[in-house]
Amino acid sequence: MTRGRPPAHTLERVIEAAIAVADADGLAAVTMRRIAGEIGAGAMSLYTYVPDKDRLVDAMVDRVGADVPAITPTGDWQGDLLAICRAQRASMLAHPWLPGALAARRITGRHMVAYLEQGLAALAPTRLDGSTKLEVIALLTGFVANFVANELAGPPTEEQVALIGEAVLSGDYPHLAAALAEGGSRVPTFDAIALRMIRGLADPVLWPGPDIL
Amino acid sequence: MTRGRPPAHTLERVIEAAIAVADADGLAAVTMRRIAGEIGAGAMSLYTYVPDKDRLVDAMVDRVGADVPAITPTGDWQGDLLAICRAQRASMLAHPWLPGALAARRITGRHMVAYLEQGLAALAPTRLDGSTKLEVIALLTGFVANFVANELAGPPTEEQVALIGEAVLSGDYPHLAAALAEGGSRVPTFDAIALRMIRGLADPVLWPGPDIL
DNA sequence: GCATTTCCGGTACAACGTACGGGAAAGAGG
DNA sequence: CCTCTTTCCCGTACGTTGTACCGGAAATGC
């Protein structure tokens, strides 16, 4: 049947190794040599399975999409969208390189298509038109990625603290000084923000302007 | 007064050259050698003005912030925030590399502090607490960057079209097929979406849940 | 003139993605 | 069995990147 030398590795194995490296040491550590070494192959052997590094990262993004649990629509479209956002967030927290990779990339791969389908299914009761639904999904995805990226960024740099402190002391930024002094009694939860975003974006009843989004 | 050999160039000149290159050929074209060549200097001379390339990009981001017109609060906080978002969008459209650079970066530089102050001033009438105001600003900034990135991405790749078309023909993605077939009568405008986002995020009256964001 | 300070920029190195091509390992046909 | 064809493996090598190093050049202060 299949002629020629049989492959010693698999595409799946390459992608999984790349994801493991990214999870452990960040996306910058994902180099062809490193991945190849991780699976006991030569660097150039990877090009048997992947046309170039960019496609490898595409495949990584699509691969983690496979592990995100599917949300089947319940009819409560707000709840369904929130569940989708939560699942996305969980995936990004498990793979901290994901928000960054997603930011510089477009929809690719089967799982991404499934993700779109899932969002559209959840949005079905809203009666928004097709392109608006897609726009809403894109905006929500971007929101989650942005939120998680901020979450993962951790505390500000010493340098940033110095910059802000200097700004406050200068007296030229009274609102900033006030905001920092006041602080926040309660840290806003992801769910609360996401729900506001969902309602604000997708509810045509609550916001029936001349522009229906 | 000042001892030693006087500088042949200036930091400002370096940053402006880098911005010009990024505007013309994208952020990837911003290399130390290229920038140096652009201002008639040796590659290593740049390190007299900038500690490393990452700081140069930081400086580029901060520099374009200087050209964004300031919005002075009018008391109409929704309108003020919308004006800020519009100004940000205009800046990003003028410098298409900005959304990408912003995504992988944190607040740095004087103009960024001024931007925060401006947003906080606009949010003053809302009576949100300090950290919530900052959160709202971060979310809005992320939204604008994400929106403009999508705007600038242009039409989908031939490969993406093939993938989606295949998915539609397979019959496994009915909602996606329907959404694409239906299309959109009206393309949602930036202003409409931004206003929904602003109201949804920051209006404590319209959304007075147990979580005040 | 001399010492000191500062900036200039050529050279060089490590790491990257990957083009190239010869060698190795399999099935197919004789 | 041998040989041809196909496929994969991967060492070598090239161009590009950021930048460490350092000798030389140019200014001031004594």
Side-chain angles (χ1 to χ4, degrees):
Chain A
M1 290 297 187
T2 61
R3 312 237 304 198
R5 179 175 183 173
H9 314 96
T10 65
L11 173 58
E12 195 69 11
R13 176 101 188 78
V14 171
I15 296 172
E16 275 167 12
I19 290 175
V21 168
D23 285 348
D25 296 337
L27 198 56
V30 176
T31 70
M32 301 305 265
R33 289 172 230 261
R34 171 81 184 270
I35 305 300
E38 216 76 30
I39 65 175
M44 293 310 293
S45 302
L46 298 187
Y47 289 90
T48 302
Y49 309 95
V50 163
D52 56 36
K53 190 194 166 181
D54 215 55
R55 299 311 186 94
L56 172 57
V57 180
D58 282 349
M60 292 168 63
V61 172
D62 197 52
R63 177 65 184 73
V64 300
D67 294 335
V68 179
I71 273 76
T72 48
T74 64
D76 168 21
W77 61 271
Q78 295 185 10
D80 291 343
L81 285 180
L82 179 58
I84 292 175
C85 287
R86 280 170 141 166
Q88 288 294 114
R89 172 166 174 253
S91 176
M92 292 182 194
L93 288 176
H95 306 287
W97 48 272
L98 198 52
L102 224 47
R105 215 157 296 276
R106 312 188 60 173
I107 301 289
T108 316
R110 321 280 165 186
H111 296 298
M112 285 299 174
V113 176
Y115 171 69
L116 281 184
E117 176 72 10
Q118 177 180 256
L120 289 169
L123 278 168
T126 64
R127 295 291 193 172
L128 296 171
D129 68 57
S131 62
T132 302
K133 281 179 192 158
L134 290 172
E135 181 89 32
V136 168
I137 294 172
L139 288 168
L140 275 182
T141 308
F143 151 69
V144 176
N146 187 49
F147 185 93
V148 176
N150 275 11
E151 258 184 307
L152 293 171
T157 319
E158 183 179 344
E159 187 185 348
Q160 291 177 318
V161 172
L163 182 70
I164 303 268
E166 184 186 337
V168 167
L169 290 179
S170 77
D172 294 334
Y173 305 92
H175 292 96
L176 182 58
L180 293 177
E182 181 185 1
S185 47
R186 284 183 294 180
V187 179
T189 67
F190 174 78
D191 285 9
I193 301 180
L195 257 186
R196 279 168 171 264
M197 191 84 64
I198 290 168
R199 291 193 187 126
L201 278 179
D203 197 325
V205 176
L206 289 173
W207 302 106
D211 292 301
I212 316 206
L213 184 62
Chain B
M1 289 297 188
T2 63
R3 309 239 304 198
R5 182 176 179 171
H9 314 96
T10 66
L11 172 60
E12 196 69 12
R13 177 103 188 77
V14 170
I15 296 172
E16 275 167 10
I19 290 175
V21 168
D23 286 347
D25 297 337
L27 198 56
V30 175
T31 69
M32 301 306 265
R33 290 171 230 262
R34 171 80 184 272
I35 305 301
E38 217 76 30
I39 64 175
M44 293 312 293
S45 300
L46 297 188
Y47 289 90
T48 302
Y49 309 96
V50 164
D52 57 36
K53 190 195 166 180
D54 214 55
R55 299 313 185 91
L56 172 58
V57 181
D58 282 350
M60 290 169 63
V61 172
D62 198 51
R63 177 65 184 72
V64 300
D67 294 335
V68 179
I71 274 76
T72 49
T74 66
D76 168 22
W77 60 271
Q78 295 185 10
D80 291 342
L81 285 180
L82 179 59
I84 290 176
C85 286
R86 280 171 140 166
Q88 288 293 114
R89 173 167 172 252
S91 175
M92 292 182 193
L93 288 175
H95 306 287
W97 48 271
L98 199 51
L102 224 47
R105 217 156 295 277
R106 312 188 60 172
I107 301 289
T108 317
R110 321 279 164 186
H111 297 298
M112 286 298 172
V113 175
Y115 171 69
L116 281 184
E117 175 72 12
Q118 179 180 256
L120 289 170
L123 277 169
T126 64
R127 293 295 192 169
L128 296 172
D129 67 58
S131 64
T132 302
K133 281 180 190 156
L134 290 172
E135 182 89 32
V136 167
I137 293 172
L139 289 168
L140 275 181
T141 308
F143 151 70
V144 176
N146 187 48
F147 185 95
V148 175
N150 276 10
E151 257 185 308
L152 292 171
T157 317
E158 184 179 344
E159 188 187 346
Q160 290 178 319
V161 173
L163 182 71
I164 303 267
E166 184 186 338
V168 167
L169 290 179
S170 78
D172 294 333
Y173 305 92
H175 291 97
L176 182 57
L180 292 177
E182 183 186 359
S185 48
R186 285 183 291 182
V187 179
T189 66
F190 174 78
D191 286 9
I193 301 179
L195 257 185
R196 278 168 170 265
M197 193 83 65
I198 289 167
R199 291 193 188 125
L201 279 179
D203 197 323
V205 176
L206 289 173
W207 300 106
D211 293 302
I212 314 203
L213 184 64

Coordinates of all heavy atoms in Angstrom, one line a residue, chain B residues 1-3 5-6 31-33 44 47 52-53, chain D residues 16-21 24-29:
Chain B
M1 N 30.7 72.2 30.4 CA 29.5 71.6 31.1 C 29.6 70.1 30.9 O 30.2 69.3 31.7 CB 28.2 72.1 30.5 CG 28.0 73.6 30.9 SD 27.7 73.7 32.7 CE 27.2 75.4 32.8
T2 N 29.0 69.7 29.8 CA 28.9 68.2 29.5 C 30.2 67.8 28.9 O 30.7 68.3 27.9 CB 27.8 67.9 28.5 OG1 28.1 68.6 27.3 CG2 26.5 68.4 29.1
R3 N 30.8 66.8 29.5 CA 32.1 66.3 29.0 C 31.8 65.2 28.0 O 30.7 64.7 27.9 CB 32.9 65.7 30.2 CG 33.0 66.7 31.4 CD 34.4 67.0 31.7 NE 35.2 65.7 31.9 CZ 36.3 65.8 32.5 NH1 36.8 66.9 32.9 NH2 37.0 64.7 32.7
R5 N 32.3 63.1 24.2 CA 31.8 63.4 22.8 C 30.3 63.6 22.7 O 29.6 62.9 23.3 CB 32.2 62.1 22.0 CG 31.8 62.2 20.5 CD 32.3 61.0 19.8 NE 32.0 61.0 18.4 CZ 32.5 60.1 17.6 NH1 33.3 59.1 18.0 NH2 32.2 60.2 16.3
P6 N 29.9 64.6 22.0 CA 28.5 64.9 22.0 C 27.8 63.9 21.1 O 28.3 63.5 20.1 CB 28.4 66.3 21.4 CG 29.7 66.4 20.6 CD 30.7 65.6 21.2
T31 N 14.2 46.5 12.7 CA 15.4 45.8 13.2 C 16.4 46.9 13.5 O 16.4 48.0 12.9 CB 16.0 44.8 12.2 OG1 16.5 45.6 11.1 CG2 14.9 43.9 11.7
M32 N 17.3 46.6 14.4 CA 18.3 47.6 14.8 C 19.1 48.1 13.6 O 19.3 49.2 13.4 CB 19.2 47.0 15.8 CG 18.5 46.5 17.1 SD 17.5 47.7 17.8 CE 18.6 48.4 19.1
R33 N 19.5 47.1 12.7 CA 20.3 47.5 11.5 C 19.5 48.5 10.6 O 20.0 49.4 10.1 CB 20.7 46.3 10.8 CG 21.8 45.5 11.6 CD 22.1 44.1 10.9 NE 22.0 43.0 11.9 CZ 23.0 42.5 12.5 NH1 24.2 42.9 12.3 NH2 22.8 41.5 13.4
M44 N 25.2 49.5 16.2 CA 25.4 49.5 17.6 C 25.3 50.9 18.3 O 25.1 51.0 19.5 CB 26.8 49.0 17.9 CG 26.9 47.5 17.6 SD 25.6 46.5 18.2 CE 25.9 46.7 20.0
Y47 N 22.4 51.7 20.6 CA 22.4 51.3 22.0 C 22.9 52.4 23.0 O 22.9 52.3 24.2 CB 23.2 50.0 22.2 CG 22.5 48.8 21.7 CD1 22.7 48.4 20.4 CD2 21.6 48.1 22.4 CE1 22.0 47.3 19.8 CE2 20.9 47.0 21.9 CZ 21.2 46.6 20.6 OH 20.5 45.5 20.1
D52 N 17.7 48.3 24.9 CA 17.5 47.2 24.0 C 16.3 47.4 23.1 O 15.6 48.3 23.2 CB 17.4 45.9 24.8 CG 16.3 45.9 25.8 OD1 15.2 46.5 25.4 OD2 16.4 45.4 26.9
K53 N 16.1 46.4 22.2 CA 15.0 46.6 21.2 C 13.6 46.7 21.8 O 12.8 47.4 21.4 CB 15.1 45.5 20.2 CG 14.2 45.8 19.0 CD 13.9 44.5 18.2 CE 12.8 44.8 17.2 NZ 12.5 43.7 16.4
Chain D
dT16 P 20.1 38.2 4.5 OP1 19.2 38.9 3.6 OP2 21.5 38.6 4.7 O5' 19.4 38.4 6.0 C5' 18.2 37.6 6.3 C4' 17.9 37.8 7.7 O4' 18.5 36.7 8.5 C3' 18.3 39.1 8.4 O3' 17.2 39.7 9.0 C2' 19.4 38.7 9.4 C1' 19.0 37.3 9.7 N1 20.2 36.5 10.1 C2 20.2 35.7 11.2 O2 19.2 35.6 11.9 N3 21.3 35.0 11.5 C4 22.5 35.1 10.8 O4 23.5 34.4 11.2 C5 22.5 35.9 9.6 C7 23.7 36.0 8.8 C6 21.4 36.6 9.3
dT17 P 17.3 41.2 9.6 OP1 16.0 41.9 9.4 OP2 18.6 41.8 9.2 O5' 17.3 40.8 11.2 C5' 16.2 40.2 11.8 C4' 16.6 39.7 13.2 O4' 17.6 38.7 13.0 C3' 17.2 40.7 14.1 O3' 16.2 41.4 14.8 C2' 18.1 39.8 15.0 C1' 18.4 38.6 14.2 N1 19.8 38.4 13.8 C2 20.6 37.7 14.7 O2 20.2 37.2 15.7 N3 21.9 37.5 14.2 C4 22.4 38.0 13.1 O4 23.6 37.9 12.8 C5 21.5 38.8 12.2 C7 22.0 39.4 11.0 C6 20.3 38.9 12.7
dG18 P 16.6 42.8 15.5 OP1 15.4 43.5 15.8 OP2 17.7 43.5 14.7 O5' 17.3 42.3 16.9 C5' 16.5 41.6 17.8 C4' 17.4 41.1 19.0 O4' 18.5 40.3 18.5 C3' 18.0 42.3 19.8 O3' 18.1 42.0 21.2 C2' 19.4 42.4 19.2 C1' 19.7 40.9 18.9 N9 20.7 40.8 17.8 C8 20.6 41.4 16.5 N7 21.6 41.1 15.7 C5 22.4 40.3 16.5 C6 23.6 39.7 16.2 O6 24.3 39.7 15.1 N1 24.1 38.9 17.3 C2 23.5 38.8 18.5 N2 24.1 38.1 19.4 N3 22.3 39.4 18.8 C4 21.8 40.1 17.8
dT19 P 18.5 43.1 22.2 OP1 17.9 42.7 23.5 OP2 18.2 44.4 21.6 O5' 20.0 43.0 22.3 C5' 20.6 41.8 22.9 C4' 22.1 41.8 22.7 O4' 22.5 41.6 21.3 C3' 22.8 43.1 23.2 O3' 24.0 42.7 23.9 C2' 23.2 43.7 21.9 C1' 23.6 42.5 21.1 N1 23.8 42.7 19.7 C2 24.9 42.1 19.1 O2 25.7 41.4 19.8 N3 25.1 42.3 17.8 C4 24.3 43.1 17.0 O4 24.5 43.2 15.8 C5 23.1 43.6 17.6 C7 22.2 44.5 16.8 C6 23.0 43.4 18.9
dA20 P 24.0 42.9 25.5 OP1 22.9 42.1 26.1 OP2 24.0 44.4 25.9 O5' 25.4 42.3 25.9 C5' 25.6 40.9 25.7 C4' 27.1 40.7 25.5 O4' 27.4 40.8 24.1 C3' 28.0 41.6 26.3 O3' 29.2 40.8 26.7 C2' 28.4 42.6 25.2 C1' 28.4 41.8 23.9 N9 28.1 42.6 22.7 C8 26.9 43.4 22.6 N7 26.9 43.9 21.4 C5 28.0 43.5 20.7 C6 28.5 43.7 19.4 N6 27.9 44.5 18.5 N1 29.7 43.2 19.1 C2 30.3 42.4 20.0 N3 29.9 42.1 21.3 C4 28.8 42.7 21.6
dC21 P 30.2 41.5 27.7 OP1 30.7 40.3 28.5 OP2 29.7 42.7 28.3 O5' 31.4 41.9 26.7 C5' 31.9 41.0 25.7 C4' 32.8 41.7 24.8 O4' 32.1 42.4 23.7 C3' 33.8 42.7 25.4 O3' 35.1 42.4 25.2 C2' 33.4 44.0 24.8 C1' 32.8 43.6 23.4 N1 31.9 44.5 22.8 C2 32.0 44.9 21.4 O2 33.0 44.4 20.8 N3 31.1 45.7 20.9 C4 30.1 46.2 21.6 N4 29.2 47.0 21.0 C5 29.9 45.8 22.9 C6 30.8 45.0 23.5
dG24 P 43.0 51.1 18.6 OP1 43.9 50.7 17.5 OP2 43.5 51.5 19.9 O5' 42.1 52.3 18.1 C5' 41.4 52.1 16.9 C4' 40.3 53.3 16.7 O4' 39.4 53.2 17.8 C3' 41.0 54.6 16.8 O3' 40.4 55.4 15.8 C2' 40.5 55.2 18.2 C1' 39.2 54.5 18.3 N9 38.7 54.3 19.7 C8 39.4 53.7 20.7 N7 38.8 53.7 21.9 C5 37.6 54.3 21.6 C6 36.5 54.6 22.4 O6 36.3 54.3 23.6 N1 35.4 55.2 21.7 C2 35.5 55.5 20.4 N2 34.4 56.1 19.8 N3 36.5 55.3 19.6 C4 37.5 54.7 20.2
dA25 P 41.1 56.9 15.5 OP1 41.4 56.9 14.0 OP2 42.1 57.1 16.4 O5' 39.9 57.9 15.7 C5' 38.6 57.6 15.2 C4' 37.5 58.5 15.8 O4' 37.2 58.1 17.1 C3' 38.0 60.0 15.9 O3' 36.9 60.8 15.5 C2' 38.4 60.1 17.3 C1' 37.4 59.2 18.0 N9 37.8 58.7 19.3 C8 38.9 58.1 19.6 N7 39.0 57.7 20.9 C5 37.8 58.1 21.4 C6 37.2 58.0 22.7 N6 37.8 57.4 23.7 N1 35.9 58.4 22.9 C2 35.3 59.0 21.8 N3 35.7 59.1 20.6 C4 37.0 58.7 20.4
dA26 P 37.2 62.3 15.0 OP1 36.5 62.5 13.8 OP2 38.7 62.6 15.1 O5' 36.5 63.2 16.2 C5' 35.1 63.0 16.4 C4' 34.7 63.5 17.8 O4' 35.3 62.7 18.8 C3' 35.3 65.0 18.0 O3' 34.2 65.8 18.5 C2' 36.4 64.8 19.1 C1' 35.8 63.6 19.8 N9 36.8 62.8 20.5 C8 38.0 62.4 20.1 N7 38.7 61.7 20.9 C5 37.9 61.7 22.1 C6 38.1 61.1 23.3 N6 39.2 60.4 23.7 N1 37.1 61.2 24.2 C2 36.0 61.9 23.9 N3 35.7 62.5 22.7 C4 36.8 62.3 21.8
dA27 P 34.1 67.3 18.1 OP1 32.8 67.6 17.5 OP2 35.3 67.6 17.3 O5' 34.2 68.0 19.5 C5' 33.1 68.3 20.3 C4' 33.4 67.9 21.8 O4' 34.2 66.7 21.8 C3' 34.1 68.9 22.6 O3' 33.2 69.9 23.1 C2' 34.6 68.0 23.8 C1' 34.7 66.6 23.2 N9 36.0 66.0 23.2 C8 36.9 66.0 22.1 N7 38.0 65.4 22.4 C5 37.9 64.9 23.7 C6 38.7 64.2 24.6 N6 39.9 63.7 24.3 N1 38.2 63.9 25.9 C2 36.9 64.4 26.2 N3 36.1 65.1 25.4 C4 36.6 65.3 24.2
dT28 P 33.8 71.2 23.8 OP1 32.7 72.2 23.8 OP2 35.1 71.5 23.2 O5' 34.1 70.7 25.3 C5' 33.0 70.2 26.1 C4' 33.5 69.8 27.4 O4' 34.5 68.7 27.3 C3' 34.2 70.9 28.2 O3' 33.7 70.8 29.6 C2' 35.6 70.6 28.1 C1' 35.7 69.1 28.0 N1 36.9 68.6 27.2 C2 37.8 67.8 27.8 O2 37.6 67.4 29.0 N3 38.8 67.3 27.0 C4 39.1 67.7 25.7 O4 40.0 67.3 25.1 C5 38.1 68.6 25.1 C7 38.2 69.1 23.7 C6 37.1 69.0 25.9
dG29 P 34.0 72.1 30.6 OP1 32.8 72.2 31.5 OP2 34.4 73.2 29.8 O5' 35.2 71.5 31.4 C5' 35.0 70.3 32.2 C4' 36.3 70.1 33.0 O4' 37.3 69.6 32.2 C3' 36.9 71.3 33.7 O3' 37.4 70.9 35.0 C2' 38.0 71.7 32.7 C1' 38.5 70.4 32.2 N9 39.0 70.5 30.8 C8 38.5 71.2 29.8 N7 39.2 71.0 28.7 C5 40.2 70.2 29.0 C6 41.3 69.7 28.2 O6 41.5 69.9 27.0 N1 42.1 68.9 29.0 C2 41.9 68.6 30.3 N2 42.8 67.8 30.9 N3 40.9 69.0 31.1 C4 40.1 69.8 30.3

